Amino acid sequence: MSKIITLSEFIIDRQADFPYASGDLSRLLSDIGIAAKIVNQQVNKAGLGDILGAFGTTNIQGEVQQKLDVYADEVFINSFRNGGEVCGIASEENDAYVAFDRDLCKKGKYVVLFDPLDGSSNIDVNVSIGTIFSIFRRTSSVGDLANINDFLQKGCEQVAAGYVIYGSSTMLVYTTGYGVNGFTLEPSIGEFCLSHPSMMIPEDGKVYSINEGNMAITTPGIQAYVAYCKEVDKKDGRPYSARYIGSLVADFHRNLIKGGIYIYPPTTGAPKGKLRLLYECSPLAFIVEQAGGLATTGTSSIMDIQPKELHQREPLLIGSKNMVLKAMEFIAELESAKV
Ligand code: P6P
């Protein structure tokens, strides 16, 4: 049996990638792994406890907060507050960022932005859901309270990004800019074990993920690309397959492994789409680019956008390089004239 490499062992081994590493990022990544295991326990028994259902509050997006995503938010926030590496956080479940005012935390070098439980509307129907996280080095002075500029950083400034998918198995996938590695939780030992080393997304794919209910209200370029996906006159004489789970992390993870494109486009009601730049689009863009894929708004790279607001939304086309490029061709051809 080949040697099991746990997440903790892998993080320490890879710390050598950072010649000046003090171990803070390693400890932070390990803390995320522990928090994910705690959340996973509740996700796996959500049907049994009273943790199902709505919490009766709404987040800044006006979305009804599920009990489990409020719980997950608290687990990750407590983990970051207790770890000491993080001076502040921002999450989908909190209107404003949180600057930790403990002296230990004010010395923290990093900020974390995260969606504690993406796809939470699927919790009650037992569909895979996920946590997405993005880590930046703070821009404010160590020792001070974190400020908004620590969070409003371009995706290309991320030091690490990743996601946890709570599915048929629970996996943690992350990058620190040196490739993408996937770890599967082995419940019998309670450890994330390296199962998908050096993940690369196929340059081509045959799966497209989009909510086709939006077709009549999205843009001509997206409409034309989706029509192209359905055409049969491709090399193998078959249309692409439509796969849309309604859980970004699940659709992204499948496409990362098998190839494919996920699109959340602009619509007449939501000209910037639905997904949030800082804790959904940007971390997944870092991962997909490290895996050889692309992530764009349709006209510009997700990683180059200078955020102006914590919860700002952006359209997202992400996945296999040649599929994203093809979609961009349709958008350039049919929408540039609109400028
Ligand atoms: P729609 C879940 O709320 C989410 O943010 C993503 O996980 C998912 O891909 C998308 O929204 C689904 O949105 O409008 O298609 O139901």
Side-chain angles (χ1 to χ4, degrees):
M1 183 172 95
S2 59
K3 178 180 177 331
I4 288 176
I5 299 176
T6 66
L7 174 64
S8 305
E9 288 168 335
F10 184 88
I11 290 169
I12 290 165
D13 289 350
R14 287 301 180 90
Q15 186 170 305
D17 291 342
F18 301 89
Y20 307 106
S22 61
D24 292 355
L25 182 60
S26 297
R27 275 190 296 278
L28 172 51
L29 290 167
S30 295
D31 288 349
I32 289 173
I34 293 167
K37 286 191 272 189
I38 295 169
V39 170
N40 178 66
Q41 275 191 331
Q42 289 305 322
V43 167
N44 277 351
K45 60 182 182 187
L48 300 173
D50 67 346
I51 203 155
L52 261 183
F55 195 65
T57 53
T58 56
N59 61 20
I60 189 171
Q61 326 300 341
E63 293 166 342
V64 174
Q65 290 178 298
Q66 304 292 328
K67 287 179 183 173
L68 206 49
D69 53 22
V70 173
Y71 168 78
D73 192 51
E74 287 166 2
V75 168
F76 280 98
I77 290 175
N78 289 335
S79 167
F80 296 138
R81 183 186 285 113
N82 297 331
E85 279 75 53
V86 174
C87 61
I89 63 97
S91 99
E92 182 193 52
E93 303 307 327
N94 298 273
D95 298 359
Y97 67 88
V98 176
F100 295 144
D101 58 7
R102 292 179 62 198
D103 287 345
L104 172 69
C105 299
K106 287 196 280 189
K107 297 191 185 84
K109 291 191 286 192
Y110 300 103
V111 294
V112 185
L113 299 97
F114 63 102
D115 184 353
L117 219 49
D118 176 77
S120 50
S121 56
N122 289 312
I123 292 169
D124 293 0
V125 294
N126 209 14
V127 166
S128 299
I129 49 184
T131 298
I132 310 171
F133 63 88
S134 170
I135 302 173
F136 289 101
R137 202 169 284 102
R138 69 185 301 174
T139 55
S140 55
S141 306
V142 172
D144 291 353
L145 276 174
N147 66 48
I148 187 61
N149 297 318
D150 290 316
F151 300 95
L152 300 182
Q153 298 190 53
K154 290 183 179 182
C156 55
E157 297 298 328
Q158 291 175 94
V159 292
Y163 62 86
V164 183
I165 178 167
Y166 310 97
S168 48
S169 64
T170 296
M171 279 192 70
L172 187 151
V173 176
Y174 83 96
T175 183
T176 56
Y178 291 81
V180 178
N181 292 282
F183 300 79
T184 300
L185 183 62
E186 172 46 71
S188 62
I189 58 173
E191 288 284 359
F192 280 107
C193 301
L194 183 63
S195 54
H196 296 66
S198 305
M199 299 178 81
M200 294 301 285
I201 186 169
E203 286 200 341
D204 293 291
K206 295 189 170 67
V207 169
Y208 69 102
S209 306
I210 188 169
N211 182 341
E212 298 220 29
N214 291 328
M215 277 308 96
I217 54 172
T218 189
T219 58
I222 297 292
Q223 291 168 341
Y225 178 67
V226 170
Y228 165 79
C229 290
K230 297 177 177 177
E231 287 170 4
V232 295
D233 63 347
K234 298 194 178 63
K235 274 183 283 188
D236 61 0
R238 291 168 51 85
Y240 292 160
S241 296
R243 294 285 184 276
Y244 192 68
I245 299 170
S247 191
L248 168 60
V249 171
D251 281 315
F252 177 85
H253 183 69
R254 181 205 52 247
N255 293 345
L256 179 66
I257 292 173
K258 294 185 179 286
I261 184 171
Y262 171 99
I263 301 174
Y264 206 101
T267 60
T268 43
K272 300 287 266 182
K274 173 182 184 181
L275 301 179
R276 275 73 65 172
L277 171 63
L278 281 168
Y279 42 81
E280 290 177 322
C281 304
S282 191
L284 295 183
F286 190 15
I287 292 169
V288 87
E289 290 197 2
Q290 282 288 310
L294 283 180
T296 172
T297 63
T299 53
S300 48
S301 165
I302 291 287
M303 296 273 271
D304 293 339
I305 298 172
Q306 173 55 55
K308 294 183 177 61
E309 290 164 18
L310 210 48
H311 299 284
Q312 81 181 57
R313 301 173 193 265
E314 291 296 341
L316 179 66
L317 293 79
I318 188 167
S320 294
K321 186 172 105 180
N322 294 338
M323 297 182 84
V324 174
L325 289 174
K326 188 70 178 174
M328 292 176 76
E329 281 176 25
F330 282 102
I331 292 168
E333 180 191 335
L334 296 171
E335 296 179 21
S336 53
K338 274 189 3 180
V339 174

